Amino acid sequence: MIPGPFSYHRPATVADAVKLLSTLGDEVRALAGGHSLVPMMKLRLATPEHLVDLHGVAGLKGISRKGNTVVIGAMTTQHELLASDEIGKSLPILHETALLIADPQVRYRGTIGGNVANGDPGNDMPALMMTLGASYRLEGASGARDVAATEFYQGAYFTSLEPGELLTSISIPVPAAGHGYAYEKLKRKVGDYATAAAAVVLTMADGKVATCAIGLTNLSETPLLATDAAKAVIGTSLDPATLKKAAAAAVAIMSPAADARGPVEYRKHVGGIMVMRALSRAAAGAR
Amino acid sequence: MAKTHVTMKVNGAEVEGLVEPRTLLVHFIRENLALTGTHIGCETTHCGACTVDIDGMSVKSCTMFAVQAQGSDIMTIEGVANADGSLSALQEGFRMMHGLQCGFCTPGMILRAQRLLKENPSPTEAEIRMGISGNICRCTGYQNIVKAIQYAAAKINGVEFQEAAE
């Protein structure tokens, strides 16, 4: 299993990368960690003529906090996220989620930018980014623009990235101090994509849910924001009846594909359970 | 397709070669360098048999192109033994604890475990199991592999290895 032939490019700056991506024609792909793209190339399901390797672009690295926003460079690896004190302090749900992605070797190479930009409904970070209200910086030949994660995903492997555009960084508003969080992921084995997963970020006041956002992974062609489910829990103490109501509201927007992970009804059923578990655990952790 | 000249350090020695961009690092290591201890198990980034250590990271060398390793510092199983030729603590552990059967997964297991112990010299059993979760053994299971890593950790830390009660 050897990939088809391609030309290899290693730009040193974002501007050079964008120039290559916008001038090399249709069969050009950006290469980040490569742990989705390279296996697809070995199976000849992807046959790019040009690869633009982003590993030499120093400007795509790093994690910084600007006021109440954490900015993460697209080429930051899952391993670097896990090692970051800033992430552990401001966005601990990213640690929890990154640890559930694949295995250690993949996390050393896999990048957050590749994870969110690929448009694979099985990737874990996109639903999380929607839950957190993140936005993506896209840079192209005609300049830069910011797109909300909730607007970015249009279908399986289909995003609002235009030809020649590169996702360069992710901006995440820091959730309120004392927020509760949980990412509940059901998978068949270590390293697998989710059969179903749910992300919850919430705040509590006087024992009742004050704010809540719920994201869903691999339960549709795109990651989903379960807004009705989140509305159903606001102002409640998350009693069993409310949890069931929230799960039902989340299940109502799920449309997973039947695959080796299970038939549609099963995946929706366990999707609802992931929502209930994530809500309960997030509430228990809120201060 | 035009070939590219690459240079890198492998097991302490400077090496070079001509590769196509599509040449995977594992093929460069096995075929150009004739270091066949690094194995190809699944080719789909799951099994971990091709794991090598690159610039302080455990990497599946079937999922990286040789051109991407230009200038990097790599260790394969051939570079793991002590300088005097004696077995490293991990190699000794795999031997003493019967941490291998057919041996096919062993080079990847040892390279991964070596990096794990560098980052976490006293891992718990759960941490070891998570740490090697990207390496698959299809002979039997992981019990003796875990013991082998615990043996090596004890030896590196200068404490006596005690087998946990069954």
Side-chain angles (χ1 to χ4, degrees):
Chain A
M1 292 210 290
I2 295 170
F6 59 86
S7 298
Y8 175 77
H9 309 268
R10 194 179 163 95
T13 65
V14 171
D16 286 348
V18 166
K19 194 171 172 194
L20 286 164
L21 288 170
S22 52
T23 55
L24 287 172
D26 293 340
E27 295 301 319
V28 56
R29 289 288 299 269
L31 177 64
H35 278 50
S36 295
L37 180 57
V38 177
M40 296 304 271
M41 290 172 67
K42 291 201 288 184
L43 294 166
R44 308 281 174 123
L45 293 172
T47 53
E49 287 170 15
H50 298 273
L51 277 192
V52 178
D53 185 354
L54 303 174
H55 283 88
V57 183
L60 293 174
K61 279 273 187 188
I63 298 164
S64 61
R65 182 164 174 160
K66 290 170 187 160
N68 265 339
T69 304
V70 170
V71 180
I72 305 174
M75 286 298 286
T76 304
T77 64
Q78 312 296 351
H79 183 78
E80 287 164 340
L81 281 181
L82 287 167
S84 162
D85 291 338
E86 181 60 55
I87 297 296
K89 199 173 54 172
S90 312
L91 292 160
I93 194 171
L94 258 66
H95 273 186
E96 183 166 308
T97 304
L99 261 181
L100 293 172
I101 295 174
D103 58 54
Q105 287 97 316
V106 173
R107 293 194 287 268
Y108 278 113
R109 296 281 298 169
T111 62
I112 191 165
N115 193 297
V116 301
N118 192 25
D120 184 339
N123 284 356
D124 293 292
M125 288 293 177
L128 188 55
M129 294 304 142
M130 288 169 66
T131 307
L132 289 163
S135 68
Y136 305 151
R137 161 116 337 168
L138 313 182
E139 297 194 37
S142 54
R145 62 192 178 112
D146 293 305
V147 175
T150 49
E151 305 291 317
F152 185 73
Y153 301 99
Q154 300 176 354
Y157 303 99
F158 185 56
T159 68
S160 50
L161 264 177
E162 297 289 339
E165 270 186 329
L166 184 66
L167 190 154
T168 54
S169 67
I170 298 161
S171 293
I172 309 173
V174 175
H179 73 279
Y181 62 89
Y183 188 65
E184 285 287 342
K185 176 177 178 178
L186 181 74
K187 50 185 180 173
R188 298 173 300 176
K189 61 179 180 63
V190 166
D192 196 14
Y193 293 102
T195 302
V200 167
V201 173
L202 54 69
T203 56
M204 305 283 286
D206 302 327
K208 294 198 160 48
V209 179
T211 66
C212 180
I214 304 172
L216 305 172
T217 295
N218 221 9
L219 289 163
S220 180
E221 275 201 357
T222 64
L224 296 173
L225 204 56
T227 44
D228 286 346
K231 269 185 209 146
V233 303
I234 304 277
T236 76
S237 56
L238 285 173
D239 53 282
T242 304
L243 285 175
K244 279 196 180 141
K245 217 165 95 182
V251 168
I253 64 166
M254 296 174 191
S255 55
D259 63 12
R261 293 177 187 86
V264 170
E265 282 312 308
Y266 169 73
R267 295 185 65 185
K268 285 164 77 164
H269 176 70
V270 294
I273 292 172
M274 292 305 109
V275 168
M276 291 195 281
R277 284 187 189 168
L279 280 168
S280 301
R281 193 156 60 79
R287 281 175 284 113
Chain B
M1 190 59 59
K3 291 194 173 183
T4 306
H5 183 242
V6 292
T7 57
M8 60 195 83
K9 192 186 266 189
V10 177
N11 301 327
E14 295 291 343
V15 300
E16 59 177 339
L18 285 174
V19 296
E20 283 187 63
R22 64 174 175 164
T23 303
L24 297 164
L25 179 60
V26 69
H27 292 134
F28 179 73
I29 290 171
R30 287 178 57 83
E31 290 160 27
N32 292 56
L33 305 181
L35 297 172
T36 53
T38 303
H39 291 161
I40 300 170
C42 69
E43 299 206 84
T44 51
T45 323
H46 286 101
C47 82
C50 66
T51 298
V52 298
D53 201 77
I54 305 182
D55 297 332
M57 299 185 289
S58 299
V59 171
K60 291 180 180 177
S61 59
C62 79
T63 312
M64 180 172 167
F65 297 109
V67 285
Q68 295 187 280
Q70 166 64 34
S72 59
D73 191 347
I74 297 177
M75 181 180 279
T76 70
I77 191 67
E78 288 87 351
V80 163
N82 297 325
D84 65 1
S86 60
L87 296 183
S88 72
L90 271 163
Q91 288 173 305
E92 194 180 294
F94 273 72
R95 175 168 166 245
M96 297 294 289
M97 296 297 120
H98 195 65
L100 65 161
Q101 287 198 28
C102 85
F104 196 86
C105 72
T106 311
M109 287 283 184
I110 288 181
L111 266 296
R112 173 63 202 129
Q114 182 170 291
R115 178 55 47 194
L116 170 69
L117 292 182
K118 283 218 168 91
E119 292 183 355
N120 181 0
S122 305
T124 63
E125 180 178 337
E127 286 169 340
I128 291 173
R129 288 182 184 274
M130 286 309 289
I132 60 167
S133 60
N135 296 69
I136 295 173
C137 161
R138 285 285 121 110
C139 285
T140 171
Y142 300 88
Q143 192 58 43
N144 288 348
I145 292 169
V146 172
K147 268 191 215 166
I149 297 169
Q150 289 172 322
Y151 175 99
K155 181 158 186 187
I156 291 164
N157 293 325
V159 300
E160 197 181 336
F161 172 66
Q162 289 188 321
E163 257 187 66
E166 293 289 328

